[in-house]
Amino acid sequence: MDYLDGVIVLLVVLGLVGIGIYAIMVSRNLIKIIIGMQVMVKGVLLAFVLAGRVSGNMGLGQSLALTVIVVDTIVAVVALALAVRVRRRFGTLDPRALTTLRR
């Protein structure tokens, strides 16, 4: 792999993780927070593949990425289902409004 290719992929990884963290921190909507987590995970997937390629063990990086894709899909589906239930029950997706609810 060319050195410049690795640097470009690393910058993309940092960009995706940064965008994901920013979306999680500034969003006031559960759906947007879930999307921010998805963007961040995609950056981590690229990091796994890059690490596998740099170390010469591309298969390991790809298998880790595939495992993360499966787990991430399950987490996203459960999180979206919970967000739908929260919206139906409380009428809002604002996490700040949900923290003031009584038990």
Side-chain angles (χ1 to χ4, degrees):
M1 175 165 73
D2 189 41
Y3 176 75
L4 186 59
D5 293 339
V7 171
I8 291 171
V9 172
L10 187 59
L11 289 175
V12 170
V13 166
L14 292 174
L16 285 173
V17 171
I19 290 169
I21 290 173
Y22 177 77
I24 290 171
M25 292 178 68
V26 302
S27 180
R28 296 189 69 185
N29 187 327
L30 289 176
I31 303 294
K32 289 181 183 178
I33 291 172
I34 294 168
I35 291 171
M37 288 185 349
Q38 293 294 308
V39 170
M40 196 168 43
V41 167
K42 300 316 178 232
V44 172
L45 290 174
L46 281 175
F48 281 153
V49 174
L50 177 64
R53 184 162 180 171
V54 168
S55 69
N57 195 355
M58 189 69 165
L60 179 62
Q62 289 176 346
S63 64
L64 281 172
L66 183 62
T67 304
V68 170
I69 288 171
V70 171
V71 172
D72 180 53
T73 302
I74 294 169
V75 169
V77 167
V78 171
L80 288 171
L82 286 173
V84 168
R85 293 292 300 160
V86 165
R87 173 71 169 95
R88 285 184 182 165
R89 168 88 186 208
F90 301 112
T92 184
L93 288 174
D94 186 3
R96 294 178 188 159
L98 297 175
T99 59
T100 61
L101 297 175
R102 293 185 188 174
R103 291 182 184 201

